[in-house]
Amino acid sequence: MLNCIVTKFGGSSLASDEQFRKVRSILDLVPARRYLVPSAPGKRFSGDDKVTDLLYRCHALASEGKSFDAEFASIEERYVDIARGLHLRLPVADHLAEVRRGIAEGKGRDWCASRGEYLCGLLIADYLGWRFVDAADGIVFRDDGSLDDAKTQEKLSSLLADGVSSVIPGFYGALENGEVRTFSRGGSDITGALVARAVNADVYENWTDVPGFLMADPRIIERPAEISSITYNELRELSHMGASVLHEDAMFPVHRSGIPTNIRNTNKPYHPGTMISKSAPQEISVPTITGITGRKGYSVISIEKSMMNSEVGFGRKVLSVLEDAGISFEHMPTGIDSMCVVVASEALAPHQEAVLEKIRALVAESGSVTVADHLSIIATVGRGMVHNCGTAARLFSAMSRARINVRMIDQGSSELSIIVGVDDDDFEATIQAIYHEFVE
Ligand code: ASP
């Protein structure tokens, strides 16, 4: 029996009064759902505006001394429509007027953006008859804009210690002097995770408009299978390479506290979605692979140097050239007298000449340095691979049957993923070959 569930609802789940009604019925279904973290109202249809985007535009116009009347009118209309549709008594017009005044008076960009969640929180709290707890009182940022994790935990947990059902708006918090700061875009996911940790929730439910995680990108695989359970470590590998449903930073607080995250779909409230946990439940048979993801647009810097193997510190010198240029490397397969460094082409391009020159100087006359572009990296991730021999063999045979040339191989030491590099032109075909080998 679950005691305490924290729910976070994304923008599309709160885009209209109709969506608000769905949220209430989801909460009514399970009394343990006692905390709610809302995003700002999102798109109602494709081409619609997200309230957060409108707020950023209002702030930009106001700071150029231009009129932001039209943008603000669209924001007003969104909240007034919801309040009217739900017959709320809340003085929405007064709250909106206060926000408008703040923007006109030159309040900061973060304050302006945060008002989307703030107003949405006031509305949903009024609709549910729950307490409104301002995130500015519980989520603490440092002056450099980073989250003060320890202070946040202390403040939030004492604010919510009485167990009263509460709404805590997502996306923002404040510096110790009260000045509002936001997370990066999509940051309400992080607020939800922090609230879940503060109240020591049994589950953190993240309600969106998708059925959970899919095994592959539906633009590449037609109707890919859904992932019903996944570990935080697997998800980290998958999201690093492209799959994104959840803000990357939202995993850490809950992961560390051992609280599972359940991705759910507001439009299908009975669908179990995807359960993300520290160590997935011992299913009778864990599927060999959990998901496949990847990205195009990498470059490989190939370095050859005779006797590289015996030169202590050579790898470090190469990596410091990249570090000095602010380039993070993705993979680094090595041979005896050769090494390759895989980096995002976009990051390398502006520094390519300087970086190559410095690496050439390290190699001197006894070797060579070349760059090849248009590499895609594909990660096949699965905790089930540890227990199954022959996974790599199956993966590479599938690629060979599809006549795909493997340009790079890297198997994580965690045995959680097999990473292959292929030509950008083979990107889709590789994902299809691997998916069909392991899934259907
Ligand atoms: N409303 C913010 C955004 O659009 C934060 C969020 O929705 O999580 O990015």
Side-chain angles (χ1 to χ4, degrees):
M1 184 56 187
L2 298 178
N3 248 324
C4 172
I5 299 174
V6 170
T7 60
K8 178 260 166 180
F9 286 87
S12 56
S13 304
L14 293 161
S16 63
D17 57 313
E18 191 193 336
Q19 292 299 84
F20 269 60
R21 285 202 185 83
K22 287 187 195 165
V23 169
R24 178 145 94 181
S25 56
I26 287 169
L27 298 172
D28 287 346
L29 225 47
V30 178
R33 293 177 174 144
R34 289 194 279 124
Y35 299 92
L36 186 150
V37 174
S39 279
K43 296 184 181 194
R44 292 159 293 184
F45 43 83
S46 85
D48 194 14
D49 283 309
K50 287 184 173 186
V51 164
T52 309
D53 291 327
L54 290 168
L55 285 162
Y56 277 124
R57 292 222 284 277
C58 287
H59 171 263
L61 289 166
S63 49
E64 288 168 22
K66 295 186 182 148
S67 159
F68 59 90
D69 286 351
E71 280 70 16
F72 201 78
S74 309
I75 298 173
E76 271 171 340
E77 187 198 310
R78 299 291 301 267
Y79 288 103
V80 168
D81 276 359
I82 295 172
R84 197 177 291 141
L86 301 173
H87 312 291
L88 301 185
R89 296 243 191 85
L90 184 88
V92 204
D94 295 351
H95 289 293
L96 283 160
E98 197 189 311
V99 173
R100 168 191 267 281
R101 216 175 309 121
I103 301 174
E105 285 169 0
K107 287 267 202 187
R109 187 170 185 268
D110 282 8
W111 183 88
C112 297
S114 73
R115 296 305 88 183
E117 271 71 10
Y118 173 80
L119 291 169
C120 192
L122 288 175
L123 257 60
I124 190 99
D126 191 57
Y127 178 50
L128 298 172
W130 285 14
R131 175 175 64 181
F132 174 84
V133 174
D134 193 347
D137 299 329
I139 308 247
V140 189
F141 283 87
R142 297 193 191 91
D143 290 343
D144 65 3
S146 62
L147 174 77
D148 190 329
D149 204 45
K151 286 215 176 97
T152 297
Q153 168 66 4
E154 193 188 307
K155 277 201 166 187
L156 257 188
S157 52
S158 77
L159 274 175
L160 303 173
D162 56 11
V164 174
S165 297
S166 308
V167 172
I168 308 96
F171 192 38
Y172 72 93
L175 306 180
E176 298 234 60
N177 68 8
E179 196 182 308
V180 167
R181 280 281 181 281
T182 62
F183 292 110
S184 57
R185 296 299 305 264
S188 301
D189 286 343
I190 310 173
T191 312
L194 294 169
V195 171
R197 182 184 65 183
V199 299
N200 197 15
D202 295 303
V203 183
Y204 167 33
E205 288 181 348
N206 191 297
W207 292 81
T208 63
D209 54 3
V210 295
F213 286 94
L214 300 172
M215 287 191 74
D217 186 337
R219 286 166 300 187
I220 300 174
I221 303 288
E222 210 179 310
R223 295 169 49 78
E226 290 163 9
I227 301 177
S228 59
S229 86
I230 184 168
T231 64
Y232 281 107
N233 289 341
E234 286 176 305
L235 182 61
R236 176 106 184 89
E237 302 243 353
L238 282 176
S239 14
H240 175 65
M241 289 305 302
S244 70
V245 170
L246 199 61
H247 193 295
E248 220 180 330
D249 296 342
M251 282 179 246
F252 300 107
V254 271
H255 180 182
R256 271 192 245 120
S257 334
I259 301 169
T261 301
N262 190 191
I263 308 290
R264 304 287 293 258
N265 184 349
T266 303
N267 304 315
K268 288 191 184 155
Y270 293 98
H271 190 289
T274 301
M275 189 60 98
I276 314 163
S277 47
K278 200 161 185 164
S279 51
Q282 290 301 319
E283 291 123 309
I284 304 170
S285 67
V286 178
T288 309
I289 69 165
T290 304
I292 312 166
T293 183
R295 263 197 215 148
K296 290 186 177 180
Y298 287 94
S299 300
V300 193
I301 308 174
S302 306
I303 306 160
E304 280 186 31
K305 181 179 185 342
S306 56
M307 308 302 285
M308 182 192 288
N309 187 37
S310 54
E311 185 177 331
V312 176
F314 182 78
R316 180 187 50 76
K317 287 181 204 151
V318 170
L319 293 184
S320 12
V321 172
L322 294 171
E323 185 181 353
D324 292 344
I327 302 171
S328 122
F329 77 95
E330 214 52 45
H331 298 282
M332 194 176 58
T334 54
I336 305 290
D337 288 331
S338 67
M339 64 188 273
C340 292
V341 190
V342 179
V343 295
S345 309
E346 210 184 7
L348 178 65
H351 310 280
Q352 181 154 334
E353 280 318 306
V355 162
L356 292 189
E357 201 174 303
K358 286 189 190 154
I359 301 180
R360 280 198 186 107
L362 292 175
V363 167
E365 267 85 66
S366 61
S368 66
V369 182
T370 52
V371 178
D373 295 326
H374 309 297
L375 180 83
S376 288
I377 296 183
I378 291 154
T380 304
V381 177
R383 61 189 182 282
M385 295 201 285
V386 189
H387 308 290
N388 284 303
C389 324
T391 310
R394 281 176 70 191
L395 188 144
F396 291 114
S397 326
M399 287 180 67
S400 125
R401 279 197 304 277
R403 307 213 153 279
I404 296 162
N405 179 31
V406 181
R407 288 180 49 193
M408 186 204 78
I409 303 172
D410 197 356
Q411 172 166 25
S413 47
S414 58
E415 263 198 81
L416 208 56
S417 62
I418 298 176
I419 303 205
V420 292
V422 298
D423 268 347
D424 278 346
D425 288 345
D426 289 330
F427 177 71
E428 284 84 3
T430 306
I431 294 183
Q432 284 155 357
I434 301 173
Y435 183 87
H436 294 306
E437 169 65 30
F438 289 98
V439 189
E440 53 184 327

